[in-house]
Amino acid sequence: MLANPKHIFTEATKFRILVVMFKHYTLENNGISMLANTSSGSFQQLLGNIIVYQPDLKYLDESLKSILESFVSNQNSRLFCALADLFEWYRAGMSYNILQLTTKHINSIFKRPPYEERPYTHELTYAQRLIMIYHVLNCEPWETLVNAYDSLYRKMYNRSWPNKSKFLRSEGDGTSVAAT
């Protein structure tokens, strides 16, 4: 087995996986659980696409399946489920408390704006990649999520969220998702 299996995917492959997850999430009301099922056609298609873009992974066979399943499940809970919970909380009038773990995931999503480099690596976070995907593929719900996080931030810290504008796509933003 590999020393750190999450590092087997290239940046482009990680981005492609998130785009596929995003499309399942928006088109099938969080159909990502289907994507994480190794026997589903969607999973098999994603696996095949990864091998096309990274042929060197073909030798991993069954290991690649479990690594991909773990990656999809992990990103689903950390990103997509957290955003769904934030949206539901906002839509319900912010009338209940969000779970602590969900709040932790939500805070990590809004920690770094798109394209801001982390101090220890030049790699984007999965949350930053997701933000870029929203900017390109479906900006309207993203603006609602940013407003929802702004409300959560105000509730948690009793002040305005200082980075809100960094998360909104400006009209002149030429962001593009090349990995579709």
Side-chain angles (χ1 to χ4, degrees):
M1 193 66 181
L2 301 167
N4 192 343
K6 71 179 184 176
H7 293 296
I8 68 166
F9 300 127
T10 64
E11 284 297 299
T13 299
K14 291 174 187 175
F15 212 83
R16 283 182 178 93
I17 294 168
L18 281 177
V19 169
V20 170
M21 291 178 71
F22 177 86
K23 288 180 177 178
H24 274 72
Y25 177 76
T26 55
L27 295 176
E28 299 173 24
N29 259 347
N30 201 4
I32 294 172
S33 58
M34 186 74 139
L35 188 61
N37 179 347
T38 58
S39 62
S40 77
S42 296
F43 182 89
Q44 295 301 321
Q45 184 177 9
L46 178 59
L47 184 66
N49 287 338
I50 288 171
I51 292 171
V52 167
Y53 289 107
Q54 279 189 259
D56 57 315
L57 298 180
K58 189 174 186 170
Y59 76 92
L60 292 173
D61 197 33
E62 288 301 313
S63 295
L64 180 58
K65 282 183 181 180
S66 64
I67 293 166
L68 179 59
E69 177 186 28
S70 174
F71 181 90
V72 169
S73 296
N74 190 12
Q75 298 316 309
N76 185 37
S77 64
R78 289 182 176 213
L79 298 175
F80 295 98
C81 290
L83 289 175
D85 288 351
L86 175 64
F87 178 75
E88 286 303 317
W89 171 81
Y90 187 65
R91 194 171 74 171
M94 304 164 285
S95 59
Y96 59 89
N97 291 326
I98 296 178
L99 295 174
Q100 185 176 3
L101 181 60
T102 302
T103 302
K104 177 184 170 193
H105 292 321
I106 292 167
N107 284 332
S108 74
I109 292 169
F110 293 99
K111 182 178 181 180
R112 268 191 194 82
Y115 306 110
E116 180 183 302
E117 288 187 6
R118 293 185 284 181
Y120 51 90
T121 179
H122 295 292
E123 186 176 310
L124 296 172
T125 65
Y126 297 118
Q128 286 174 301
R129 293 180 188 119
L130 180 66
I131 293 165
M132 288 184 235
I133 293 167
Y134 260 108
H135 278 195
V136 173
L137 297 179
N138 205 347
C139 202
E140 189 175 323
W142 178 250
E143 291 172 7
T144 301
L145 290 167
V146 169
N147 289 327
Y149 183 72
D150 182 48
S151 296
L152 180 63
Y153 190 94
R154 286 174 195 264
K155 189 171 185 173
M156 290 187 305
Y157 302 109
N158 262 350
R159 61 186 172 98
S160 296
W161 176 34
N163 291 325
K164 179 179 178 180
S165 64
K166 293 179 182 178
F167 286 83
L168 295 172
R169 181 177 168 206
S170 66
E171 290 302 315
D173 188 357
T175 310
S176 65
V177 176
T180 52

